[in-house]
Amino acid sequence: MKNTRWPVLLSVLALGLSVLPVSAAERAVVTIHLAGDSTMAEKLPEKRPETGWGEFLAVQFQPGTVAVDNRARNGRSTRTFIEEGRWQALLDVTQPGDVVLIQFGHNDQSVEKRDRYTPPADYARNLERFVSDVRGKQATPVLLTPVARRRFDDAGRLLDSHGEYPDLVRALAARGQVALIDMQKRSEAVVQEAGVEASRSLFLWVAPGHANYPNGVEDNTHFSPKGAACIASEFAMALRGSGLPLARRLKADVEAVDCR
């Protein structure tokens, strides 16, 4: 009698292999999900020339190797990102082998804005949840400290504007063995090197008469296109030295951005 079990067994094995998670290193295209605030987010037309550095992320990579899913939004903290269902929506589309960049802090530490403020202990717990959830999806979480604001003292030294929040990110990264890109330190170095005057070009400083800002604007938190490109370039340089598999997808030679 003809043995019919082997074809069936082989079919079952093939099916089992087909559903095994595929690592980021093996996939042709890896999705990078962005969870964060306005400094990272894609902007609406009526906000231009305000630009989030996440808008310049894809160009740091070899064409066809990554897809960027930018879910960062203006005004969001870890707390409101969860409360509005944005975190769950991101998780719902996260696949094994994906990478999730997590950058919050600007709005979490805004104690005067009760609609978004998140106490330090809650901020740390929310970040822990993010890391755990991403790992539960067999994806890679990457923690980012918040980027610098443009605030100088009378001597031209850049001032810290995030208090204890960046250290909470660093502590979690060390404690949980989570990949960390220290965007605070890298962005502070960029702004400090540019100096008091030249650093205005990195931020949303617009003269009166602009269609979106008739009265002009002097915004030392949100980036201009130039500033966003600079910060994205800094992220790419940090990623290159991180040891993460994602770094192998970066362009070999990324055009330098003049941040001064």
Side-chain angles (χ1 to χ4, degrees), residues 182-219:
D182 202 332
M183 296 301 290
Q184 183 197 30
K185 289 184 177 179
R186 298 195 75 98
S187 58
E188 282 180 345
V190 167
V191 178
Q192 184 67 71
E193 183 178 359
V196 176
E197 298 301 322
S199 61
R200 292 174 181 171
S201 68
L202 304 177
F203 290 85
L204 188 62
W205 278 58
V206 179
H210 190 280
N212 287 340
Y213 305 96
N215 298 320
V217 63
E218 297 180 359
D219 181 338

mmCIF file of all heavy atoms in Angstrom, residues 182-219:
data_model
loop_
_atom_site.group_PDB
_atom_site.id
_atom_site.type_symbol
_atom_site.label_atom_id
_atom_site.label_comp_id
_atom_site.label_asym_id
_atom_site.label_seq_id
_atom_site.Cartn_x
_atom_site.Cartn_y
_atom_site.Cartn_z
ATOM 1 N N ASP A 182 21.478 57.976 22.786
ATOM 2 C CA ASP A 182 21.403 59.145 23.668
ATOM 3 C C ASP A 182 21.278 60.421 22.840
ATOM 4 O O ASP A 182 22.235 61.158 22.621
ATOM 5 C CB ASP A 182 22.630 59.214 24.577
ATOM 6 C CG ASP A 182 22.375 60.040 25.831
ATOM 7 O OD1 ASP A 182 21.519 60.956 25.761
ATOM 8 O OD2 ASP A 182 22.994 59.760 26.869
ATOM 9 N N MET A 183 20.049 60.671 22.396
ATOM 10 C CA MET A 183 19.791 61.834 21.546
ATOM 11 C C MET A 183 19.959 63.140 22.291
ATOM 12 O O MET A 183 20.266 64.171 21.681
ATOM 13 C CB MET A 183 18.394 61.733 20.950
ATOM 14 C CG MET A 183 18.196 60.553 20.008
ATOM 15 S SD MET A 183 19.321 60.588 18.596
ATOM 16 C CE MET A 183 18.660 61.990 17.679
ATOM 17 N N GLN A 184 19.746 63.153 23.602
ATOM 18 C CA GLN A 184 19.960 64.382 24.342
ATOM 19 C C GLN A 184 21.405 64.850 24.214
ATOM 20 O O GLN A 184 21.668 66.000 23.848
ATOM 21 C CB GLN A 184 19.604 64.211 25.819
ATOM 22 C CG GLN A 184 19.758 65.524 26.598
ATOM 23 C CD GLN A 184 19.827 65.338 28.102
ATOM 24 O OE1 GLN A 184 20.295 64.304 28.596
ATOM 25 N NE2 GLN A 184 19.365 66.320 28.838
ATOM 26 N N LYS A 185 22.340 63.961 24.488
ATOM 27 C CA LYS A 185 23.749 64.350 24.440
ATOM 28 C C LYS A 185 24.180 64.716 23.027
ATOM 29 O O LYS A 185 24.913 65.693 22.825
ATOM 30 C CB LYS A 185 24.614 63.222 24.992
ATOM 31 C CG LYS A 185 24.481 63.036 26.498
ATOM 32 C CD LYS A 185 25.420 61.968 27.023
ATOM 33 C CE LYS A 185 25.321 61.860 28.540
ATOM 34 N NZ LYS A 185 26.213 60.794 29.083
ATOM 35 N N ARG A 186 23.717 63.972 22.047
ATOM 36 C CA ARG A 186 24.126 64.251 20.673
ATOM 37 C C ARG A 186 23.537 65.567 20.175
ATOM 38 O O ARG A 186 24.210 66.353 19.514
ATOM 39 C CB ARG A 186 23.738 63.096 19.755
ATOM 40 C CG ARG A 186 24.402 61.773 20.106
ATOM 41 C CD ARG A 186 24.281 60.764 18.999
ATOM 42 N NE ARG A 186 25.189 61.090 17.900
ATOM 43 C CZ ARG A 186 26.390 60.538 17.712
ATOM 44 N NH1 ARG A 186 26.832 59.629 18.563
ATOM 45 N NH2 ARG A 186 27.133 60.883 16.690
ATOM 46 N N SER A 187 22.272 65.812 20.481
ATOM 47 C CA SER A 187 21.650 67.058 20.028
ATOM 48 C C SER A 187 22.203 68.261 20.788
ATOM 49 O O SER A 187 22.368 69.346 20.217
ATOM 50 C CB SER A 187 20.126 66.984 20.175
ATOM 51 O OG SER A 187 19.750 66.728 21.516
ATOM 52 N N GLU A 188 22.509 68.087 22.060
ATOM 53 C CA GLU A 188 23.127 69.179 22.820
ATOM 54 C C GLU A 188 24.460 69.579 22.201
ATOM 55 O O GLU A 188 24.772 70.775 22.091
ATOM 56 C CB GLU A 188 23.341 68.756 24.272
ATOM 57 C CG GLU A 188 22.085 68.798 25.123
ATOM 58 C CD GLU A 188 22.330 68.368 26.552
ATOM 59 O OE1 GLU A 188 23.395 67.775 26.837
ATOM 60 O OE2 GLU A 188 21.448 68.620 27.392
ATOM 61 N N ALA A 189 25.235 68.591 21.784
ATOM 62 C CA ALA A 189 26.533 68.883 21.168
ATOM 63 C C ALA A 189 26.355 69.659 19.868
ATOM 64 O O ALA A 189 27.109 70.605 19.577
ATOM 65 C CB ALA A 189 27.292 67.585 20.918
ATOM 66 N N VAL A 190 25.343 69.296 19.078
ATOM 67 C CA VAL A 190 25.074 69.987 17.815
ATOM 68 C C VAL A 190 24.694 71.443 18.069
ATOM 69 O O VAL A 190 25.224 72.362 17.429
ATOM 70 C CB VAL A 190 23.948 69.272 17.040
ATOM 71 C CG1 VAL A 190 23.426 70.148 15.895
ATOM 72 C CG2 VAL A 190 24.433 67.949 16.492
ATOM 73 N N VAL A 191 23.767 71.665 18.997
ATOM 74 C CA VAL A 191 23.282 73.017 19.265
ATOM 75 C C VAL A 191 24.389 73.861 19.887
ATOM 76 O O VAL A 191 24.567 75.039 19.543
ATOM 77 C CB VAL A 191 22.033 72.985 20.164
ATOM 78 C CG1 VAL A 191 21.560 74.400 20.493
ATOM 79 C CG2 VAL A 191 20.909 72.203 19.487
ATOM 80 N N GLN A 192 25.151 73.279 20.820
ATOM 81 C CA GLN A 192 26.237 74.021 21.456
ATOM 82 C C GLN A 192 27.299 74.423 20.443
ATOM 83 O O GLN A 192 27.811 75.548 20.457
ATOM 84 C CB GLN A 192 26.864 73.184 22.562
ATOM 85 C CG GLN A 192 27.957 73.903 23.348
ATOM 86 C CD GLN A 192 27.421 75.050 24.173
ATOM 87 O OE1 GLN A 192 26.743 74.856 25.164
ATOM 88 N NE2 GLN A 192 27.716 76.279 23.770
ATOM 89 N N GLU A 193 27.641 73.512 19.543
ATOM 90 C CA GLU A 193 28.651 73.820 18.533
ATOM 91 C C GLU A 193 28.176 74.930 17.595
ATOM 92 O O GLU A 193 28.959 75.791 17.197
ATOM 93 C CB GLU A 193 28.999 72.577 17.724
ATOM 94 C CG GLU A 193 30.097 72.823 16.699
ATOM 95 C CD GLU A 193 30.488 71.583 15.917
ATOM 96 O OE1 GLU A 193 29.911 70.509 16.182
ATOM 97 O OE2 GLU A 193 31.356 71.697 15.044
ATOM 98 N N ALA A 194 26.901 74.921 17.265
ATOM 99 C CA ALA A 194 26.370 75.976 16.393
ATOM 100 C C ALA A 194 26.410 77.334 17.092
ATOM 101 O O ALA A 194 26.644 78.360 16.447
ATOM 102 C CB ALA A 194 24.949 75.628 15.980
ATOM 103 N N GLY A 195 26.183 77.344 18.393
ATOM 104 C CA GLY A 195 26.256 78.598 19.148
ATOM 105 C C GLY A 195 24.927 79.330 19.205
ATOM 106 O O GLY A 195 23.948 78.957 18.551
ATOM 107 N N VAL A 196 24.930 80.398 19.969
ATOM 108 C CA VAL A 196 23.699 81.138 20.253
ATOM 109 C C VAL A 196 23.025 81.640 18.979
ATOM 110 O O VAL A 196 21.812 81.465 18.801
ATOM 111 C CB VAL A 196 23.987 82.317 21.204
ATOM 112 C CG1 VAL A 196 22.721 83.144 21.423
ATOM 113 C CG2 VAL A 196 24.520 81.812 22.541
ATOM 114 N N GLU A 197 23.764 82.244 18.106
ATOM 115 C CA GLU A 197 23.165 82.863 16.919
ATOM 116 C C GLU A 197 22.857 81.836 15.830
ATOM 117 O O GLU A 197 21.724 81.741 15.341
ATOM 118 C CB GLU A 197 24.099 83.957 16.373
ATOM 119 C CG GLU A 197 24.342 85.100 17.339
ATOM 120 C CD GLU A 197 23.061 85.805 17.731
ATOM 121 O OE1 GLU A 197 22.172 85.973 16.875
ATOM 122 O OE2 GLU A 197 22.939 86.188 18.920
ATOM 123 N N ALA A 198 23.848 81.076 15.424
ATOM 124 C CA ALA A 198 23.671 80.153 14.300
ATOM 125 C C ALA A 198 22.664 79.052 14.610
ATOM 126 O O ALA A 198 22.013 78.528 13.702
ATOM 127 C CB ALA A 198 25.009 79.544 13.904
ATOM 128 N N SER A 199 22.492 78.690 15.871
ATOM 129 C CA SER A 199 21.580 77.599 16.216
ATOM 130 C C SER A 199 20.121 77.946 15.942
ATOM 131 O O SER A 199 19.269 77.059 15.874
ATOM 132 C CB SER A 199 21.743 77.205 17.688
ATOM 133 O OG SER A 199 21.430 78.290 18.541
ATOM 134 N N ARG A 200 19.820 79.243 15.756
ATOM 135 C CA ARG A 200 18.440 79.610 15.414
ATOM 136 C C ARG A 200 17.990 78.939 14.121
ATOM 137 O O ARG A 200 16.815 78.603 13.961
ATOM 138 C CB ARG A 200 18.329 81.127 15.267
ATOM 139 C CG ARG A 200 18.515 81.892 16.567
ATOM 140 C CD ARG A 200 18.540 83.387 16.329
ATOM 141 N NE ARG A 200 18.746 84.120 17.573
ATOM 142 C CZ ARG A 200 18.983 85.423 17.647
ATOM 143 N NH1 ARG A 200 19.043 86.143 16.526
ATOM 144 N NH2 ARG A 200 19.169 86.009 18.816
ATOM 145 N N SER A 201 18.922 78.738 13.202
ATOM 146 C CA SER A 201 18.554 78.139 11.909
ATOM 147 C C SER A 201 18.161 76.673 12.046
ATOM 148 O O SER A 201 17.568 76.109 11.122
ATOM 149 C CB SER A 201 19.716 78.270 10.915
ATOM 150 O OG SER A 201 20.814 77.463 11.309
ATOM 151 N N LEU A 202 18.473 76.066 13.188
ATOM 152 C CA LEU A 202 18.112 74.672 13.413
ATOM 153 C C LEU A 202 16.695 74.532 13.955
ATOM 154 O O LEU A 202 16.133 73.429 13.953
ATOM 155 C CB LEU A 202 19.086 74.021 14.402
ATOM 156 C CG LEU A 202 20.571 74.070 14.036
ATOM 157 C CD1 LEU A 202 21.399 73.453 15.154
ATOM 158 C CD2 LEU A 202 20.838 73.366 12.712
ATOM 159 N N PHE A 203 16.122 75.640 14.402
ATOM 160 C CA PHE A 203 14.814 75.612 15.039
ATOM 161 C C PHE A 203 13.808 76.450 14.253
ATOM 162 O O PHE A 203 14.138 77.069 13.233
ATOM 163 C CB PHE A 203 14.942 76.090 16.487
ATOM 164 C CG PHE A 203 15.679 75.118 17.368
ATOM 165 C CD1 PHE A 203 17.071 75.125 17.431
ATOM 166 C CD2 PHE A 203 14.993 74.163 18.108
ATOM 167 C CE1 PHE A 203 17.759 74.210 18.219
ATOM 168 C CE2 PHE A 203 15.670 73.248 18.898
ATOM 169 C CZ PHE A 203 17.055 73.266 18.958
ATOM 170 N N LEU A 204 12.591 76.450 14.721
ATOM 171 C CA LEU A 204 11.496 77.084 13.993
ATOM 172 C C LEU A 204 11.471 78.592 14.269
ATOM 173 O O LEU A 204 10.615 79.099 14.986
ATOM 174 C CB LEU A 204 10.162 76.442 14.396
ATOM 175 C CG LEU A 204 8.929 76.861 13.586
ATOM 176 C CD1 LEU A 204 9.079 76.480 12.119
ATOM 177 C CD2 LEU A 204 7.676 76.240 14.186
ATOM 178 N N TRP A 205 12.438 79.269 13.689
ATOM 179 C CA TRP A 205 12.476 80.730 13.735
ATOM 180 C C TRP A 205 12.048 81.241 12.357
ATOM 181 O O TRP A 205 12.735 81.016 11.354
ATOM 182 C CB TRP A 205 13.884 81.216 14.068
ATOM 183 C CG TRP A 205 14.176 81.186 15.551
ATOM 184 C CD1 TRP A 205 14.121 80.105 16.372
ATOM 185 C CD2 TRP A 205 14.578 82.296 16.356
ATOM 186 N NE1 TRP A 205 14.460 80.449 17.651
ATOM 187 C CE2 TRP A 205 14.746 81.790 17.679
ATOM 188 C CE3 TRP A 205 14.822 83.638 16.112
ATOM 189 C CZ2 TRP A 205 15.132 82.596 18.750
ATOM 190 C CZ3 TRP A 205 15.224 84.449 17.169
ATOM 191 C CH2 TRP A 205 15.359 83.934 18.464
ATOM 192 N N VAL A 206 10.912 81.889 12.316
ATOM 193 C CA VAL A 206 10.330 82.344 11.050
ATOM 194 C C VAL A 206 10.001 83.829 11.157
ATOM 195 O O VAL A 206 9.377 84.268 12.135
ATOM 196 C CB VAL A 206 9.047 81.549 10.722
ATOM 197 C CG1 VAL A 206 8.424 82.033 9.416
ATOM 198 C CG2 VAL A 206 9.350 80.050 10.643
ATOM 199 N N ALA A 207 10.425 84.599 10.158
ATOM 200 C CA ALA A 207 10.161 86.035 10.157
ATOM 201 C C ALA A 207 8.684 86.306 9.865
ATOM 202 O O ALA A 207 8.006 85.485 9.221
ATOM 203 C CB ALA A 207 11.030 86.717 9.098
ATOM 204 N N PRO A 208 8.161 87.432 10.317
ATOM 205 C CA PRO A 208 6.765 87.790 10.018
ATOM 206 C C PRO A 208 6.500 87.800 8.510
ATOM 207 O O PRO A 208 7.392 88.091 7.707
ATOM 208 C CB PRO A 208 6.641 89.194 10.608
ATOM 209 C CG PRO A 208 7.664 89.240 11.689
ATOM 210 C CD PRO A 208 8.824 88.432 11.180
ATOM 211 N N GLY A 209 5.275 87.451 8.157
ATOM 212 C CA GLY A 209 4.889 87.441 6.753
ATOM 213 C C GLY A 209 4.755 86.058 6.160
ATOM 214 O O GLY A 209 4.264 85.913 5.039
ATOM 215 N N HIS A 210 5.143 85.032 6.909
ATOM 216 C CA HIS A 210 4.997 83.667 6.418
ATOM 217 C C HIS A 210 3.524 83.286 6.405
ATOM 218 O O HIS A 210 2.762 83.670 7.295
ATOM 219 C CB HIS A 210 5.779 82.700 7.304
ATOM 220 C CG HIS A 210 5.891 81.322 6.771
ATOM 221 N ND1 HIS A 210 4.876 80.384 6.882
ATOM 222 C CD2 HIS A 210 6.895 80.685 6.104
ATOM 223 C CE1 HIS A 210 5.262 79.254 6.325
ATOM 224 N NE2 HIS A 210 6.479 79.405 5.853
ATOM 225 N N ALA A 211 3.117 82.491 5.412
ATOM 226 C CA ALA A 211 1.701 82.134 5.276
ATOM 227 C C ALA A 211 1.168 81.420 6.517
ATOM 228 O O ALA A 211 0.024 81.652 6.926
ATOM 229 C CB ALA A 211 1.520 81.239 4.051
ATOM 230 N N ASN A 212 1.969 80.551 7.115
ATOM 231 C CA ASN A 212 1.525 79.829 8.310
ATOM 232 C C ASN A 212 1.771 80.587 9.604
ATOM 233 O O ASN A 212 1.164 80.267 10.638
ATOM 234 C CB ASN A 212 2.229 78.468 8.393
ATOM 235 C CG ASN A 212 1.699 77.490 7.373
ATOM 236 O OD1 ASN A 212 0.601 77.637 6.852
ATOM 237 N ND2 ASN A 212 2.489 76.462 7.061
ATOM 238 N N TYR A 213 2.654 81.565 9.560
ATOM 239 C CA TYR A 213 3.003 82.330 10.756
ATOM 240 C C TYR A 213 3.071 83.821 10.397
ATOM 241 O O TYR A 213 4.160 84.401 10.305
ATOM 242 C CB TYR A 213 4.348 81.852 11.323
ATOM 243 C CG TYR A 213 4.383 80.367 11.615
ATOM 244 C CD1 TYR A 213 4.907 79.465 10.683
ATOM 245 C CD2 TYR A 213 3.881 79.861 12.807
ATOM 246 C CE1 TYR A 213 4.932 78.097 10.942
ATOM 247 C CE2 TYR A 213 3.898 78.497 13.072
ATOM 248 C CZ TYR A 213 4.429 77.617 12.137
ATOM 249 O OH TYR A 213 4.447 76.270 12.395
ATOM 250 N N PRO A 214 1.917 84.442 10.194
ATOM 251 C CA PRO A 214 1.896 85.849 9.756
ATOM 252 C C PRO A 214 2.668 86.777 10.678
ATOM 253 O O PRO A 214 3.261 87.765 10.216
ATOM 254 C CB PRO A 214 0.399 86.187 9.753
ATOM 255 C CG PRO A 214 -0.289 84.869 9.620
ATOM 256 C CD PRO A 214 0.570 83.888 10.348
ATOM 257 N N ASN A 215 2.663 86.477 11.958
ATOM 258 C CA ASN A 215 3.362 87.315 12.934
ATOM 259 C C ASN A 215 4.767 86.823 13.236
ATOM 260 O O ASN A 215 5.446 87.366 14.117
ATOM 261 C CB ASN A 215 2.558 87.376 14.245
ATOM 262 C CG ASN A 215 1.189 88.008 14.037
ATOM 263 O OD1 ASN A 215 1.045 88.983 13.305
ATOM 264 N ND2 ASN A 215 0.175 87.442 14.677
ATOM 265 N N GLY A 216 5.186 85.801 12.519
ATOM 266 C CA GLY A 216 6.486 85.212 12.781
ATOM 267 C C GLY A 216 6.428 84.292 13.985
ATOM 268 O O GLY A 216 5.417 84.210 14.692
ATOM 269 N N VAL A 217 7.536 83.584 14.235
ATOM 270 C CA VAL A 217 7.603 82.691 15.392
ATOM 271 C C VAL A 217 9.064 82.495 15.781
ATOM 272 O O VAL A 217 9.945 82.471 14.921
ATOM 273 C CB VAL A 217 6.928 81.327 15.094
ATOM 274 C CG1 VAL A 217 7.642 80.583 13.978
ATOM 275 C CG2 VAL A 217 6.857 80.462 16.345
ATOM 276 N N GLU A 218 9.309 82.414 17.072
ATOM 277 C CA GLU A 218 10.632 82.109 17.608
ATOM 278 C C GLU A 218 10.480 80.911 18.543
ATOM 279 O O GLU A 218 10.245 81.054 19.738
ATOM 280 C CB GLU A 218 11.230 83.320 18.334
ATOM 281 C CG GLU A 218 11.461 84.499 17.413
ATOM 282 C CD GLU A 218 12.053 85.704 18.129
ATOM 283 O OE1 GLU A 218 12.273 85.611 19.375
ATOM 284 O OE2 GLU A 218 12.292 86.722 17.471
ATOM 285 N N ASP A 219 10.603 79.740 17.983
ATOM 286 C CA ASP A 219 10.320 78.475 18.670
ATOM 287 C C ASP A 219 11.639 77.731 18.871
ATOM 288 O O ASP A 219 12.298 77.350 17.907
ATOM 289 C CB ASP A 219 9.350 77.655 17.817
ATOM 290 C CG ASP A 219 8.951 76.335 18.435
ATOM 291 O OD1 ASP A 219 9.692 75.827 19.311
ATOM 292 O OD2 ASP A 219 7.921 75.773 18.025
#
